[in-house]
Amino acid sequence: MYYLALLAGEKNATEWGPDSPEFAVAMGRHQASWDGAGSALVGGGALYPSAEAATIRNEDGRALITDGPFAETAEVIGGFYVLEGSDLDEVLEHARRIPEASEGSVELWPMFEWMAVTDQKGCWLALLREPVGAAVSPGTPQWDEGMAEHEQFGRVAGSAVRGGGALYPPDSATTIRVRDGELLLTDGPFAETAEVANGLYVLAADDRESAIALAAKIPVSPKGCIELRQIVADAE
């Protein structure tokens, strides 16, 4: 089974650009978790600072774009992994070694499906967020209706879709923290927010404006949003 790991750290520790010495040090520290995960690590990457993010909402049939991530929180997402394992316990053994688990938190979501990314150079992470109450379970008519809308988006976006996946509802998520060597697990997402992760796309685009225009076509509920973040291509 595939799991999405959203890596959250303190804001001042996740806002280094890829050309900074701090970013290089952080990537060096992640190397140990990559090596330990081995073939279980099947995707992911670091993200450009959240100050460069865009949040896209649909209001009255038009896209409303705001600069920055979807919410002001003490911890912001600095990267993501996709891990594969036979069960949650196996994936937890890999996730606990991720540096953010000791310094922030790792939000682990089981994925209903995952379309692997073969090339994410020039790509953007479009993280879909929906209100907690809007989450639906696979196999329901509401789920099937939503999947049909995403299939339509896939036809429109074509080869610009480099990967992506859907997540199970928020009650299936687990937040991981490691403090003084002790693994601490909390049911649910890492932050109490109105909107939680619902799925993701990896999109290819020439620039930020093109990425926003493409992401604005992704179907979300009237109260949902899309957090668009540029992926650092050589982070893996």
Side-chain angles (χ1 to χ4, degrees):
M1 188 170 186
Y2 296 112
Y3 289 80
L4 172 67
L6 298 176
L7 317 183
E10 292 184 6
K11 190 170 185 180
N12 61 359
T14 57
E15 300 298 83
W16 305 315
D19 297 326
S20 69
E22 293 88 351
F23 184 87
V25 171
M27 290 301 97
R29 295 174 60 240
H30 273 263
Q31 187 66 52
S33 63
W34 301 338
D35 295 343
S39 61
L41 178 60
V42 298
L47 303 176
Y48 278 76
S50 64
E52 302 176 23
T55 296
I56 304 164
R57 298 181 183 276
N58 189 331
E59 290 197 0
D60 300 323
R62 64 184 182 89
L64 177 63
I65 315 298
T66 56
D67 292 331
F70 81 106
E72 287 294 331
T73 59
E75 294 180 339
V76 297
I77 296 172
F80 71 104
Y81 286 166
V82 179
L83 297 165
E84 185 178 13
S86 59
D87 55 31
L88 177 60
D89 288 339
E90 180 180 335
V91 173
L92 284 173
E93 286 304 307
H94 300 306
R96 69 180 299 167
R97 292 195 288 265
I98 299 172
E100 281 79 2
S102 298
E103 303 161 3
S105 61
V106 174
E107 188 174 303
L108 197 62
W109 291 79
M111 305 185 76
F112 178 73
E113 60 182 6
W114 165 244
M115 182 173 70
V117 182
T118 56
D119 179 12
Q120 60 187 29
K121 182 179 180 180
C123 285
W124 301 70
L125 172 68
L127 184 63
L128 284 61
R129 295 188 179 275
E130 298 281 4
V132 175
V136 297
S137 299
T140 63
Q142 295 90 341
W143 176 276
D144 294 339
E145 181 180 340
M147 291 302 293
E149 294 178 352
H150 283 282
E151 288 172 2
Q152 175 61 29
F153 168 73
R155 289 190 287 269
V156 171
S159 61
V161 176
R162 296 289 177 82
L167 307 181
Y168 281 92
D171 59 3
S172 67
T174 302
T175 296
I176 304 166
R177 293 180 175 86
V178 177
R179 299 294 185 267
D180 298 323
E182 181 182 359
L183 177 63
L184 307 175
L185 303 179
T186 306
D187 292 336
F190 74 89
E192 291 293 334
T193 58
E195 295 146 346
V196 296
N198 182 253
L200 73 153
Y201 283 102
V202 175
L203 304 174
D206 293 332
D207 51 40
R208 187 174 186 267
E209 290 71 23
S210 300
I212 289 173
L214 181 60
K217 298 176 182 179
I218 298 173
V220 292
S221 72
K223 294 185 178 180
C225 67
I226 298 162
E227 182 178 350
L228 187 67
R229 302 283 299 278
Q230 188 176 5
I231 299 172
V232 181
D234 58 352
E236 292 190 277

